[in-house]
Amino acid sequence: MKQILTDSVGLMKKKYGRIITNCYNLDIFDEKEIILKEETEGFIVYVIKDSEVHRLFYFAKDESVLRGVVNIAQKTDSVIEVVTRKPEAEREMLIRAGLREYASLLRFSCTDCSKLNLFQESDILPENCHAATNGEAADIYRKLHETFDKRISHLGTLQEIYQSIERGEFYISETKEGEIVTLLQLVKEPGKLYINQVINDREKGCIHPLLKKLISEYVLSGGKYLYSWIESDNVASLKFHMKYGMKHDGTTNLIFVG
């Protein structure tokens, strides 16, 4: 499917020049289930299933055909994401097309976390704070879906949670009754460390020592770049990430619905 779309988009660019799109990774169309595909003159739309959410991607010759996105988004109950360094211009264009803004995320990053000197000897990890096991996957899945809006966060399927645990991405702490009260997911990418999910339902005695320890291990392995996506109106989370030398780097993820 990726190759078919590559050819179609290539022909569109050849005919119209620069196009308008919210998709910059065509690999996703070979990785996810395709729910809908529509192609007309100067306009291509794909809807994929991402866990339990439909996400819509468009390729348009110009703004005049973008209104076609609205009906498809409503028909498929889809979410449209636009990652941009010009959020105001993109926001105005999509609102003119008839879409409704649902949320926005700010990318916070630190280009060299090796300078932070985060982990101190006084930072002691509680005994019940540990790397997650496969036996805890269902509880992690349930906790993520109880805590986060699946339209905003890419929460993953239960199978994807298992795969993340196998890669050593999840850390949790639990009460004596087995309830998850602290959850952290760190994703190692080439040259990057991504803070994907943070849940802290108790005092900060676990989450900060844990995150400091894991970032310090990343630094010792030669890592520097650290980033996360944060809801723009989540003041507590913005302040939390600022403690780790992170700040908005100018990139925004606009999330729209029909």
Side-chain angles (χ1 to χ4, degrees), residues 26-247:
L26 298 183
D27 290 337
I28 194 169
F29 300 107
D30 283 339
E31 298 166 356
K32 302 289 185 179
E33 179 185 356
I34 296 174
I35 301 301
L36 177 145
K37 171 191 172 185
E38 289 194 12
E39 185 170 346
T40 58
E41 181 64 28
F43 188 49
I44 302 172
V45 173
Y46 276 72
V47 177
I48 66 165
K49 186 176 182 181
D50 178 29
S51 187
E52 300 174 4
V53 179
H54 293 168
R55 301 192 185 275
L56 184 153
F57 297 93
Y58 57 81
F59 304 83
K61 65 175 184 177
D62 55 39
E63 186 179 340
S64 68
V65 299
L66 270 183
R67 285 194 171 273
V69 170
V70 179
N71 291 336
I72 297 173
Q74 291 174 343
K75 180 172 66 175
T76 57
D77 189 26
S78 292
V79 174
I80 298 112
E81 296 182 87
V82 179
V83 177
T84 178
R85 295 186 70 84
K86 298 180 179 179
E88 292 307 321
E90 294 279 2
R91 179 181 285 116
E92 291 173 4
M93 180 182 68
L94 293 172
I95 290 174
R96 284 195 301 269
L99 293 167
R100 175 173 61 87
E101 187 171 1
Y102 186 75
S104 63
L105 303 174
L106 305 178
R107 189 174 68 187
F108 266 44
S109 63
C110 176
T111 56
D112 189 357
C113 58
S114 66
K115 298 178 180 179
L116 299 179
N117 191 29
L118 290 171
F119 194 66
Q120 306 296 324
E121 292 299 325
S122 58
D123 292 324
I124 306 299
L125 291 179
E127 292 182 1
N128 63 343
C129 192
H130 62 275
T133 64
N134 282 339
E136 294 158 328
D139 290 337
I140 290 172
Y141 177 87
R142 183 166 52 253
K143 185 69 173 180
L144 290 172
H145 283 262
E146 288 173 352
T147 305
F148 298 110
D149 185 334
K150 61 187 180 182
R151 288 188 155 199
I152 299 173
S153 300
H154 294 248
L155 300 180
T157 63
L158 182 57
Q159 182 59 37
E160 288 169 334
I161 298 295
Y162 278 114
Q163 292 168 355
S164 294
I165 290 173
E166 290 292 333
R167 292 192 295 267
E169 294 176 359
F170 277 106
Y171 292 79
I172 63 172
S173 69
E174 304 163 292
T175 64
K176 293 180 180 179
E177 294 74 28
E179 177 191 358
I180 295 175
V181 289
T182 302
L183 182 150
L184 175 65
Q185 183 186 14
L186 290 183
V187 180
K188 288 185 179 180
E189 302 171 345
K192 303 175 183 178
L193 185 64
Y194 174 34
I195 303 176
N196 190 19
Q197 308 289 359
V198 178
I199 297 174
N200 192 52
D201 291 343
R202 62 188 299 167
E203 62 268 10
K204 299 178 179 60
C206 179
I207 193 67
H208 284 297
L210 174 60
L211 188 51
K212 288 178 181 179
K213 178 178 183 295
L214 295 173
I215 292 175
S216 296
E217 291 174 355
Y218 168 64
V219 168
L220 287 175
S221 71
K224 292 185 177 183
Y225 184 76
L226 177 70
Y227 79 103
S228 185
W229 288 98
I230 310 165
E231 289 186 57
S232 59
D233 59 356
N234 190 337
V235 176
S237 185
L238 295 171
K239 290 181 178 179
F240 176 95
H241 288 81
M242 286 178 184
K243 292 180 180 179
Y244 295 90
M246 303 169 74
K247 61 182 180 180

